[in-house]
Amino acid sequence: MSAALSRSLWSRKAAQGLAGPGLCAYASRLVGADPRLVLWGGGNSSVKTVETDHAGRSVRTVWVKASGFDMKALKPSGLTALRLDELALLRGREKMTDEEMVAYIHRCQLDPQAARPSIETLLHAFLPAEHVYHTHADAIAGFTCAPESERRTRDAFGGKVLWVPYVRPGFQLSKWVIEVVERHPEARAMILDKHGALTWGEDARRAYEGMVTLTRAAMGYQFARAKT
Ligand code: ZN
């Protein structure tokens, strides 16, 4: 496997004047532009803002990429606005089936007609950071689908990158992720065992570049080991 991976594609000029879902869509297109970061249809992203709802109230909002939209062509209309405080209430639940979770998430949409948001919506909603990117990069899968992926994550990244064991995407995984992040509030990246990578931050550029750096480092680690 080649260790080469595009460096940051961020353009200050292109990002100028963008905010909220426009900025998230721009950064998502950069993530999607490199197939080593994200495969078609894989990966998702989000941004948190304050919006005005149909009754004129200010609502803390999370915009999450809708299912079936490609990251590399994402437009703001491919992000669905959801009431963040209502989603946050789910942290108090012990468990939820996929059906219950999807029905609940639908009721949190600011626009009931908007496209269905990702099944991984709660992963985004529970993280406090403004910008969140999640990918299923091959480089990460090759890294974490090997035995001892927790040890390999520590070996490759020290304590900088968090790790959570495998569980199918959904309610349980979202809870595990936020529980680990809350124990390490300084972290900005995580490996999800046998699944993918997650990066976040208050700044869209840094969160995006965190994903580039993490994926490059995972590829470099594998490349170095393959040569020995
Ligand atoms: Zn995923």
Side-chain angles (χ1 to χ4, degrees), residues 50-87:
V50 176
E51 302 297 328
T52 304
D53 76 0
H54 64 286
R57 295 169 293 197
S58 283
V59 182
R60 295 203 317 135
T61 300
V62 59
W63 298 79
V64 179
K65 189 183 87 70
S67 298
F69 286 74
D70 188 2
M71 292 277 269
K72 73 172 180 294
L74 194 66
K75 295 180 181 153
S77 57
L79 293 155
T80 295
L82 299 134
R83 294 170 190 275
L84 187 54
D85 293 335
E86 293 185 10
L87 293 175

Side-chain angles (χ1 to χ4, degrees), residues 153-162 184 186-187 189:
T153 301
R154 256 201 326 268
D155 195 22
F157 307 110
K160 279 191 179 162
V161 176
L162 307 179
H184 303 275
E186 72 293 348

Side-chain angles (χ1 to χ4, degrees), residues 27-226:
S28 302
R29 291 195 299 274
L30 299 187
V31 173
D34 193 323
R36 284 164 295 193
L37 285 182
V38 63
L39 305 171
W40 194 96
N44 41 63
S45 49
S46 65
V47 64
K48 298 179 181 78
T49 63
V50 176
E51 302 297 328
T52 304
D53 76 0
H54 64 286
R57 295 169 293 197
S58 283
V59 182
R60 295 203 317 135
T61 300
V62 59
W63 298 79
V64 179
K65 189 183 87 70
S67 298
F69 286 74
D70 188 2
M71 292 277 269
K72 73 172 180 294
L74 194 66
K75 295 180 181 153
S77 57
L79 293 155
T80 295
L82 299 134
R83 294 170 190 275
L84 187 54
D85 293 335
E86 293 185 10
L87 293 175
L89 292 173
L90 292 180
R91 280 209 59 196
R93 297 260 184 124
E94 276 301 308
K95 55 175 116 173
M96 246 184 151
T97 66
D98 285 352
E99 291 73 22
E100 288 167 342
M101 181 181 73
V102 168
Y104 186 102
I105 289 171
H106 180 67
R107 299 191 75 142
C108 297
Q109 290 183 201
L110 264 71
D111 175 2
Q113 308 297 331
R116 185 166 58 85
S118 163
I119 189 82
E120 297 181 297
T121 287
L122 295 183
L123 208 61
H124 293 268
F126 289 171
L127 277 169
E130 189 169 319
H131 299 272
V132 180
Y133 302 105
H134 170 49
T135 67
H136 307 136
D138 269 357
I140 299 291
F143 187 78
T144 68
C145 290
E148 300 192 307
S149 87
E150 184 177 15
R151 186 189 58 73
R152 286 158 66 91
T153 301
R154 256 201 326 268
D155 195 22
F157 307 110
K160 279 191 179 162
V161 176
L162 307 179
W163 181 91
V164 287
Y166 177 77
V167 64
R168 207 167 51 79
F171 182 71
Q172 187 63 61
L173 176 63
S174 306
K175 291 251 297 189
W176 283 1
V177 165
I178 187 56
E179 283 164 14
V180 172
V181 171
E182 284 182 340
R183 289 199 295 274
H184 303 275
E186 72 293 348
R188 293 291 176 270
M190 175 181 265
I191 297 280
L192 312 177
D193 193 28
K194 299 177 180 56
H195 179 164
L198 197 61
T199 59
W200 60 90
E202 296 311 311
D203 178 275
R205 178 175 186 165
R206 285 212 195 140
Y208 155 69
E209 290 179 346
M211 183 60 77
V212 175
T213 304
L214 176 61
T215 310
R216 283 177 67 92
M219 289 173 77
Y221 177 84
Q222 290 176 95
F223 189 62
R225 286 172 63 98

